[in-house]
Amino acid sequence: VLDIDASIKPLYGRQEGAERGYNPSKPGRPSHALHTFWVGNLRLVLDVQVSCGKQHSSVHAKAALGRLLDELGDGPQGRRPALVRGDSGYGNEGILLTLEERKQPYLLRLRQTKNVQRLVAQQFTRQDWSRPDNQGCQMVEAQLQLHGWSAKRRVVIVRQRIKGGIARERRV
């Protein structure tokens, strides 16, 4: 599993590429954005793209992700990851197209926009949820096309029973 994530590294002094951008821990401090690609369970880093602090969004990691997947390739060693996994920042059209063009399976969380919340609310009335697993999670599939997406895509909604016996949406 190839995990992708972005982190912000605050910088002190004068360093090349340091710019003021999104920096939750040190607002106003210059930083670098690190887009990291690593093998999930091994914590083996395959690549890191270092960008200025203003380039923290996943859009700036799209080219590096495509390049890495092309380098890994489908060759005889089968080095292509079985799955690319990322947080909600990577659930945008550019990243999705990069993965789909390469027929790369992926699992990305979605931002809880109004349309996603509406879809989740509609699914709670369905009777075909999967049987609860050992953690009490149930899943159901649906189709969704968000604004900015060129096509409908399959989404999996997961819910988990919590204390007090009330089911709530946990992740999309």
Side-chain angles (χ1 to χ4, degrees):
V1 175
L2 175 68
D3 283 320
I4 53 178
D5 197 16
S7 56
I8 305 298
K9 178 167 181 4
L11 299 173
Y12 301 91
R14 295 183 184 152
Q15 296 187 25
E16 184 179 340
E19 290 188 23
R20 290 182 181 169
Y22 173 74
N23 191 339
S25 62
K26 299 278 186 179
R29 170 135 327 265
S31 62
H32 280 153
L34 308 173
H35 297 279
T36 310
F37 308 93
W38 75 95
V39 179
N41 292 340
L42 298 178
R43 295 186 182 180
L44 174 67
V45 175
L46 298 177
D47 195 12
V48 176
Q49 177 183 336
V50 180
S51 305
C52 69
K54 290 183 180 179
Q55 296 181 347
H56 59 85
S57 70
S58 63
V59 173
H60 301 288
K62 182 176 76 167
L65 174 62
R67 193 171 41 254
L68 178 62
L69 290 173
D70 292 342
E71 288 173 9
L72 293 174
D74 287 324
Q77 283 86 9
R79 299 182 314 176
R80 170 78 54 94
L83 183 72
V84 171
R85 183 171 54 186
D87 63 14
S88 62
Y90 293 91
N92 61 59
E93 180 75 2
I95 296 289
L96 296 174
L97 288 176
T98 298
L99 295 167
E100 291 167 352
E101 287 168 357
R102 291 162 177 82
K103 296 180 174 50
Q104 176 64 52
Y106 59 86
L107 178 63
L108 304 172
R109 292 183 64 151
L110 293 177
R111 288 195 171 109
Q112 296 295 313
T113 63
K114 287 183 181 181
N115 288 334
V116 171
Q117 290 175 0
R118 187 177 305 121
L119 176 73
V120 169
Q122 291 169 354
Q123 304 312 307
F124 264 74
T125 60
R126 289 176 53 174
Q127 300 301 314
D128 61 340
W129 285 83
S130 68
R131 294 185 60 197
D133 62 11
N134 58 359
Q135 295 176 346
C137 293
Q138 293 179 293
M139 292 161 255
V140 70
E141 291 183 28
Q143 294 286 318
L144 178 65
Q145 182 171 358
L146 293 175
H147 297 292
W149 284 8
S150 59
K152 283 188 174 186
R153 293 193 167 89
R154 175 180 167 244
V155 295
V156 176
I157 300 152
V158 179
R159 70 180 179 183
Q160 181 179 27
R161 194 160 296 278
I162 58 173
K163 289 182 181 180
I166 301 169
R168 67 172 176 89
E169 173 272 331
R170 187 172 117 180
R171 57 189 128 128
V172 177

